[in-house]
Amino acid sequence: MSDLLQYHKNPISLREGKVFLDGLEVFDSVKCEIKFTPDVWTGRQLGDRSASSRWLGYSITGSITRRRTTAWLKDTIKGYIDSGKTPEFTIQGIMNDAGSEYYDTNGSDTVTVVGVVLTGDLNLLNLDADGQVLDDVIGFNAKAMV
C-alpha cells in the first residue's frame, strides 16, 4: 500500500496543545499566543540605495484566553493589592499535533517564557443578559524565552 495521504496535506491543527502556568496545566485554556517582536533599527549611509536593518532588542508578548473555572485571576490581583509585589509567572505552551506533517518532522513544539507579568485589563466580573460563555483574555509581557 502506498502512503496513506497521497493527495492531501496535514497542516498543524491549532486545537492540539497544552498550556502550563507555573508548571500547572491550564485545563480551561481556549487559546494561547506568544509573540516575539524585534526592535529594529533601519538606516543608510551616503551612497546606499537600500537601507540596512539591525535587531537592537526585542519584546515578548502574548495572551492566554481561558474559560473561567477558578478564582485564580481574582486571587492573583488580591495578592498584589495586599502585598504590593508584582506577580511573576512562567508560561509554557506545547503544540503536539501528532497527525501533522510538522510533528512528523519536528515532534512537539514547546515554547517557555519566564518573567511573565500580566498586562492590560483584567476582568473581575462580567455579566451579560445574552448569556454568553465567559472567556478571560489575559495579556502578558515576558522577560525571556528559555
Side-chain angles (χ1 to χ4, degrees), residues 8-64:
H8 297 278
K9 299 296 182 190
N10 285 313
I12 296 169
S13 170
L14 297 180
R15 292 180 181 180
E16 304 299 328
K18 298 178 180 183
V19 178
F20 295 86
L21 182 67
D22 284 347
L24 298 174
E25 187 171 356
V26 183
F27 287 108
D28 56 1
S29 64
V30 176
K31 183 188 281 189
C32 179
E33 294 181 327
I34 301 173
K35 298 178 182 182
F36 177 93
T37 306
D39 294 331
V40 179
W41 167 86
T42 301
R44 63 180 76 209
Q45 293 175 258
L46 293 174
D48 286 346
R49 292 184 176 262
S50 64
S52 295
S53 297
R54 177 182 171 193
W55 286 6
L56 297 176
Y58 60 89
S59 298
I60 299 173
T61 60
S63 66
I64 293 176

Side-chain angles (χ1 to χ4, degrees), residues 75-124:
D75 293 342
T76 299
I77 293 167
K78 185 162 178 11
Y80 167 73
I81 291 170
D82 292 345
S83 72
K85 294 181 181 178
T86 301
E88 186 176 291
F89 306 96
T90 297
I91 293 177
Q92 182 178 65
I94 301 173
M95 181 180 58
N96 57 359
D97 179 12
S100 71
E101 293 164 355
Y102 182 94
Y103 188 89
D104 287 344
T105 304
N106 303 292
S108 64
D109 190 14
T110 301
V111 174
T112 304
V113 290
V114 297
V116 173
V117 174
L118 305 182
T119 61
D121 293 332
L122 302 172
N123 291 323
L124 293 171

